[in-house]
């Protein structure tokens, strides 16, 4: 079986599984990839995931999509509710929460973030795993952060990474920030993540700057064993798609 993974924008991705469509952190979709997939697969349920309330991760347009489909929204508890109708099929999540028996035989666990909201681990009944980090990252800034700020950022990130890795030893597909605004530190969190957890297919996201620096992520100083076990897919054009085993 194969999963089609399509880049939407920023941290947004569409994952087309055999039995269900997954949409993560829809912000913009200039290529109309989600609409096209919904039209192509009218029989497939669709699950929209939102990791947190930042405007580059959450757009209320998702509530207008897939109205003819069986649909479900998995939202972080920091999402504002004023524009959400009471009858919407929503599951709210905070760190540590779990959901079972979702369409496609999926379950979800929410982990923490080092910024707003949560990150998500989505697991299929056969063990196939997808991780979307949201804004979980090692957030400190080249030439700007003080030593104290760097130490705090490291503590926050390492605590959450340890929490995840103590429960999860491998991930099939991971979406993780490589924010080039961080300068020399832009890949620090991503590198530590894939050194700690065996990831098969890794997708940098949240470029926020010159994407070409993120595109060279695969050439960064990664140990040979990481290069051998991890495929790195640097999608940067809205609508760009890659197929991976699922």
């Amino acid at each position: 079986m194969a999963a089609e993974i399509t880049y939407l924008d920023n941290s947004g991705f569409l994952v087309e599984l055999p039995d269900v469509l997954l949409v993560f952190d829809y912000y913009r979709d200039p290529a109309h990839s989600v609409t096209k997939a919904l039209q192509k697969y009218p029989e497939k349920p669709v699950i929209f995931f939102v990791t947190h309330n930042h405007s580059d991760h959450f757009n209320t347009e998702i509530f207008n999509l897939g109205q003819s489909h069986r649909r479900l929204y998995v939202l972080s508890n920091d999402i504002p509710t004023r524009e959400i109708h009471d009858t919407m099929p929503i599951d709210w999540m905070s760190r540590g929460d779990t959901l079972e028996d979702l369409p496609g035989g999926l379950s979800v666990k929410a982990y923490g973030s080092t910024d707003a909201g949560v990150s998500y681990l989505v697991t299929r009944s056969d063990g196939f795993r997808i991780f979307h980090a949201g804004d979980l990252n090692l957030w400190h800034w080249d030439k700007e952060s003080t030593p104290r700020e760097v130490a705090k950022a490291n503590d926050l990130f390492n605590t959450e990474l340890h929490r995840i890795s103590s429960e999860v030893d491998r991930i099939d597909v991971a979406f993780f920030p490589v924010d080039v605004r961080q300068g020399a530190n832009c890949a620090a969190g991503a590198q530590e993540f894939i050194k700690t957890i065996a990831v098969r297919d890794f997708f940098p996201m949240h470029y926020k700057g010159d994407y070409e620096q993120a595109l060279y992520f695969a050439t960064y100083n990664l140990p040979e064993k990481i290069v051998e076990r991890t495929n790195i897919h640097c999608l940067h054009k809205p609508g760009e798609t890659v197929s991976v085993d699922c």
Side-chain angles (χ1 to χ4, degrees):
M1 292 188 296
E4 296 293 322
I5 298 178
T6 302
Y7 177 65
L8 303 180
D9 200 353
N10 193 48
S11 297
F13 289 88
L14 165 67
V15 180
E16 301 175 39
L17 296 176
D19 300 321
V20 63
L21 302 174
L22 311 180
V23 180
F24 292 93
D25 279 8
Y26 180 106
Y27 152 52
R28 293 187 304 205
D29 183 14
H32 308 290
S33 300
V34 174
T35 299
K36 292 174 183 176
L38 292 169
Q39 292 172 345
K40 183 178 180 180
Y41 301 109
E43 77 288 353
K44 285 189 181 183
V46 55
I47 307 175
F48 293 88
F49 294 86
V50 181
T51 60
H52 62 286
N53 63 14
H54 290 172
S55 60
D56 59 347
H57 291 255
F58 170 56
N59 186 334
T60 56
E61 177 62 23
I62 61 175
F63 301 120
N64 299 321
L65 296 171
Q67 294 187 25
S68 62
H69 289 63
R70 180 187 176 192
R71 56 181 175 157
L72 176 66
Y73 298 90
V74 178
L75 307 183
S76 167
N77 269 322
D78 68 343
I79 302 296
T81 60
R82 59 183 177 274
E83 298 184 60
I84 302 175
H85 196 277
D86 290 343
T87 61
M88 295 297 290
I90 292 174
D91 283 302
W92 299 94
M93 301 199 78
S94 298
R95 185 177 71 186
D97 289 346
T98 59
L99 296 172
E100 303 289 342
D101 300 322
L102 273 63
L106 302 179
S107 62
V108 181
K109 180 163 184 177
Y111 288 94
S113 174
T114 48
D115 194 352
V118 297
S119 51
Y120 291 121
L121 179 70
V122 181
T123 304
R124 198 168 57 189
S125 56
D126 63 359
F128 177 74
R129 291 170 173 165
I130 299 171
F131 183 81
H132 193 289
D135 267 1
L136 170 65
N137 191 18
L138 180 52
W139 293 114
H140 59 78
W141 307 89
D142 188 33
K143 302 176 182 178
E144 295 179 27
S145 297
T146 66
R148 183 175 181 179
E149 289 169 336
V150 171
K152 181 179 179 181
N154 276 292
D155 286 345
L156 288 171
F157 180 71
N158 289 331
T159 296
E160 196 57 42
L161 181 59
H162 175 74
R163 182 178 287 114
I164 298 168
S165 63
S166 67
E167 300 178 359
V168 181
D169 61 349
R170 61 163 190 84
I171 291 171
D172 295 287
V173 174
F175 306 105
F176 199 96
V178 178
D179 191 324
V180 299
R181 296 175 301 173
Q182 293 182 267
N185 300 315
C186 72
Q191 288 177 314
E192 196 61 32
F193 187 84
I194 62 176
K195 287 178 183 176
T196 305
I197 301 172
V199 176
R200 191 192 67 198
D201 290 286
F202 183 88
F203 292 78
M205 64 180 188
H206 206 281
Y207 298 143
K208 293 294 186 185
D210 181 1
Y211 71 85
E212 291 188 357
Q213 186 174 349
L215 294 184
Y216 289 115
F217 178 83
T219 68
Y220 292 174
N221 187 25
L222 295 170
E224 185 176 348
K225 70 174 183 178
I226 305 299
V227 175
E228 291 176 350
R229 78 185 183 195
T230 303
N231 305 309
I232 298 175
H233 307 274
C234 293
L235 307 184
H236 68 283
K237 295 179 181 178
E240 192 173 359
T241 298
V242 67
S243 180
V244 302
D245 291 338
C246 71

